[in-house]
Amino acid sequence: AKPLTLSAPGKAILHGEHAVVYGKAALAVALNLRTFLRIKPSNNGKVLIHLPNIGTSVNWETFRLRTLLTVFSGNPEQMDALKEFAGITTELSAAESLGTLAFLYLYLSISAKYGWSEEEMDLINRWAFRGEQVIHGKPSGVDNSVATWGGVLRFQSGKFTSLKRVPTLRILLTNTKVSRSTKILVASVKDKILKFPAIMNPVLASIDAISHECESVLEAMAVSPSQEYYPVLEELFDINQHHLNVIGVGHSSLDNVCRVTATHGLHSKLTGAGGGGCAITLLRPDPLMVEAARQDLSACGFECWETSIGAPGIC
Ligand code: PMV
């Protein structure tokens, strides 16, 4: 049988991480860094699932895939069976687990076709969310939605709205390589809010306002591209990075990224759960500053990728 190839975009949260867990708006973007999956059915009742980016291959029996599919589409409570699936995905990001799921869907939907209907995309998104529940505990749903739909999404209270027009915006994604647990960080934010509600709730409200402000700027930028928007976007990055430190999800490695990029006139913030993990740096069209910043970040032991926002979803 013919192998099938599928890919899903990575995601970054521009603004609203953590606050989104409390019903505030988050602005999430699909990145032009994709995870590819190949599936190759064979005659011996097995299916080879290959994720070339991370060098993982699993050879699953077809009946096992069918059982998983039944669980995914039928009974969301059956988490034990999902854990089996999580066995191969614990090392993967949302995009990767989504891709795996979509692959299963693609393969098992019999009609091996490219392009899905709205309903099918919804289904893929829901399955990916269940995969996330196994891996992360209580996810907001932002990761799987961006990996499914792509583009730029405003995500709030489990609902997302796609921005109609997306400006060209380049981002440097830096992996500090400091590992952290999203689950533990989300729990620590909860503790802080319970301990100091009058202090923390205004910070969450401010993060919400930042997401909305950034959305307006991106929309204006998409309609009439201009350099004048960069200082505003950069200032929003700076303010939010301070807020994220206030709610306790900063890390010295992230401070380092901000400091190093600032020496090159660039502005950064953490993205996602914080406590290490990744940071994003807003890039202006001038490529000279970027190369120098990259070199300094690499010298700190960080790994960087230059990318842009608004990539297509799963395809
Ligand atoms: O670290 P990531 O990329 O999985 O993002 C976590 C984002 C949080 O807002 C902290 C949690 C969530 O589920 O939205």
Side-chain angles (χ1 to χ4, degrees), residues 149-227:
W149 299 100
V152 176
L153 303 181
R154 175 179 6 104
F155 192 87
Q156 189 158 21
S157 308
K159 292 198 183 70
F160 63 83
T161 312
S162 287
L163 262 65
K164 288 194 183 63
R165 301 173 72 161
V166 178
T168 306
L169 198 66
R170 287 160 58 240
I171 294 266
L172 188 69
L173 182 70
T174 300
N175 184 359
T176 65
K177 299 188 194 160
V178 174
S179 66
R180 82 283 190 270
S181 154
T182 300
K183 221 173 181 169
I184 292 172
L185 285 153
V186 168
S188 75
V189 172
K190 187 177 172 187
D191 287 346
K192 222 184 245 311
I193 293 168
L194 288 174
K195 199 168 164 193
F196 302 113
I199 299 171
M200 291 302 147
N201 286 328
V203 179
L204 298 182
S206 177
I207 294 176
D208 184 65
I210 291 172
S211 293
H212 286 288
E213 183 70 25
C214 182
E215 180 182 343
S216 308
V217 175
L218 292 183
E219 270 173 344
M221 211 172 165
V223 175
S224 57
S226 157
Q227 295 276 330

Side-chain angles (χ1 to χ4, degrees), residues 35-258:
T35 289
F36 289 86
L37 293 102
R38 296 196 99 206
I39 188 164
K40 194 164 178 276
S42 68
N43 306 337
N44 61 4
K46 290 198 172 175
V47 181
L48 177 74
I49 299 170
H50 178 49
L51 297 108
N53 306 64
I54 51 160
T56 294
S57 278
V58 282
N59 213 350
W60 274 6
E61 279 151 31
T62 313
F63 81 85
R64 205 164 147 210
L65 293 186
R66 286 193 194 282
T67 311
L68 274 175
L69 184 78
T70 315
V71 173
F72 271 113
S73 48
N75 186 354
E77 306 307 321
Q78 243 173 310
M79 285 300 180
D80 279 353
L82 284 179
K83 277 190 186 121
E84 191 185 355
F85 168 74
I88 70 151
T89 60
T90 41
E91 297 298 313
L92 312 183
S93 69
E96 288 155 350
S97 53
L98 175 80
T100 311
L101 277 171
F103 245 133
L104 303 188
Y105 179 73
L106 184 73
Y107 178 63
L108 293 161
S109 66
I110 319 300
S111 60
K113 60 176 182 173
Y114 288 92
W116 296 287
S117 67
E118 285 271 301
E119 291 75 32
E120 287 170 327
M121 293 282 278
D122 264 336
L123 196 62
I124 288 171
N125 194 17
R126 267 184 283 141
W127 287 346
F129 183 62
R130 287 183 200 160
E132 281 273 286
Q133 285 176 316
V134 175
I135 298 162
H136 287 308
K138 209 174 169 296
S140 62
V142 65
D143 287 18
N144 47 284
S145 301
V146 176
T148 303
W149 299 100
V152 176
L153 303 181
R154 175 179 6 104
F155 192 87
Q156 189 158 21
S157 308
K159 292 198 183 70
F160 63 83
T161 312
S162 287
L163 262 65
K164 288 194 183 63
R165 301 173 72 161
V166 178
T168 306
L169 198 66
R170 287 160 58 240
I171 294 266
L172 188 69
L173 182 70
T174 300
N175 184 359
T176 65
K177 299 188 194 160
V178 174
S179 66
R180 82 283 190 270
S181 154
T182 300
K183 221 173 181 169
I184 292 172
L185 285 153
V186 168
S188 75
V189 172
K190 187 177 172 187
D191 287 346
K192 222 184 245 311
I193 293 168
L194 288 174
K195 199 168 164 193
F196 302 113
I199 299 171
M200 291 302 147
N201 286 328
V203 179
L204 298 182
S206 177
I207 294 176
D208 184 65
I210 291 172
S211 293
H212 286 288
E213 183 70 25
C214 182
E215 180 182 343
S216 308
V217 175
L218 292 183
E219 270 173 344
M221 211 172 165
V223 175
S224 57
S226 157
Q227 295 276 330
E228 78 189 48
Y229 296 110
Y230 283 101
V232 186
L233 292 174
E234 288 168 350
E235 207 167 347
L236 294 177
F237 262 39
D238 293 343
I239 300 169
N240 201 2
Q241 176 63 14
H242 287 301
H243 284 342
L244 290 160
N245 276 318
V246 169
I247 64 171
V249 297
H251 188 268
S252 53
S253 61
L254 295 162
D255 293 342
N256 261 345
V257 176
C258 294

Side-chain angles (χ1 to χ4, degrees), residues 256-268:
N256 261 345
V257 176
C258 294
R259 201 171 33 77
V260 168
T261 54
T263 62
H264 297 280
L266 299 168
H267 298 248
S268 309

